[in-house]
Amino acid sequence: MRQLVLALGLAAIVLCAVGLTLKLIVRTATERPGAALAGLVLLGCLIALMRNRRRRRAAVRVASSLDGLAHRIATAPGPPVEPSSSPVAVEGDASDADDASDASGAFRAEDLAAMDPDSFEQAVAALCERDGCRDVHVVGGAGDLGADIIATTPGGQRIVIQCKRYGPLNKVGSQDVQRFGGTCFSVHEAQVAAVVTTGEFTQPAAEYAQQCGIRCVDHRELVAWTEGTGPTPWD
């Protein structure tokens, strides 16, 4: 505020001086033309000096502003770095590699018993594809007539699989195998028929399956198949 008052006072003094000078020039113009001309020249110099001074101040202010802007730009933080969307390889220990080798797709042998029936059918179909089967189709559901998976083995045979996701206390009985045996060959035209379960087979069921040429894959054999240490249902 003090600087503003001083600036206004200085401007008033300059205006008064300019006014008095003009008045003096007008009065003396008729009597002494030379003095009037000199006064005009002096007034012009004074005005030019004031303009130059203002320009210099303006130039100084502009230069100062540009310097401050350049400093802010130079010290401003850069844009945030987006994380890469591509997968990054992470080195693991030997146990991680062993766990990965046990997996078939997105599951391991110990995960099979915890799956629901639909997920179990998908898992068995994935095992068939892993081991070279073609045209693998999951057809289980209402009206499937005992066929949950139909595929073509690596040797070109048509295989029909029924999946039984049972708990450890449940066993596949002879009636289950008989119903499957009544449709797998005559209806689904299977060349290879198999029942795959997370549980066990009763003795009568195993005997009937052997008589009809149906392969029984119980929990132990299923784990071996999943881990790649045992035969496939079509071997």
Side-chain angles (χ1 to χ4, degrees):
M1 181 63 71
R2 182 177 179 183
Q3 293 180 352
L4 179 60
V5 173
L6 291 176
L8 291 176
L10 180 60
I13 293 173
V14 171
L15 290 176
C16 291
V18 172
L20 291 176
T21 303
L22 289 174
K23 186 177 181 180
L24 180 60
I25 291 173
V26 172
R27 287 183 180 178
T28 58
T30 55
E31 298 177 358
R32 289 183 292 177
L37 181 60
L40 288 174
V41 173
L42 179 60
L43 180 60
C45 293
L46 178 62
I47 294 173
L49 180 62
M50 292 175 62
R51 288 182 178 178
N52 291 335
R53 185 175 183 182
R54 290 177 181 175
R55 290 176 181 174
R56 286 195 299 271
R57 289 180 178 176
V60 170
R61 288 196 298 269
V62 171
S64 178
S65 299
L66 291 177
D67 182 68
L69 179 61
H71 177 72
R72 288 194 297 271
I73 293 174
T75 58
V81 178
E82 296 292 337
S84 175
S85 59
S86 59
V88 179
V90 179
E91 295 183 359
D93 54 21
S95 61
D96 292 337
D98 293 339
D99 291 340
S101 64
D102 291 340
S104 297
F107 64 90
R108 294 176 296 184
E110 57 266 30
D111 298 329
L112 295 171
M115 294 180 178
D116 57 59
D118 292 339
S119 298
F120 180 58
E121 292 174 5
Q122 296 291 337
V124 174
L127 289 173
C128 292
E129 290 183 339
R130 184 199 68 181
D131 291 342
C133 287
R134 307 183 306 274
D135 303 324
V136 180
H137 299 286
V138 179
V139 295
D144 60 11
L145 298 178
D148 293 323
I149 299 170
I150 298 177
T152 302
T153 68
Q157 294 177 301
R158 181 179 176 87
I159 182 172
V160 178
I161 300 176
Q162 185 178 72
C163 300
K164 293 292 186 181
R165 208 284 299 161
Y166 283 171
L169 300 180
N170 295 330
K171 292 186 177 183
V172 180
S174 61
Q175 292 183 352
D176 296 325
V177 180
Q178 288 175 21
R179 284 193 292 269
F180 179 62
T183 59
C184 62
F185 296 110
S186 61
V187 176
H188 301 295
E189 300 179 347
Q191 295 174 293
V192 178
V195 179
V196 179
T197 181
T198 53
E200 305 292 338
F201 291 88
T202 63
Q203 185 64 29
E207 292 176 355
Y208 176 83
Q210 185 176 7
Q211 293 174 2
C212 296
I214 298 174
R215 174 70 188 275
C216 292
V217 180
D218 59 14
H219 173 71
R220 180 182 57 81
E221 293 175 317
L222 176 60
V223 170
W225 179 26
T226 304
E227 294 178 345
T229 59
T232 64
W234 54 86
D235 289 336

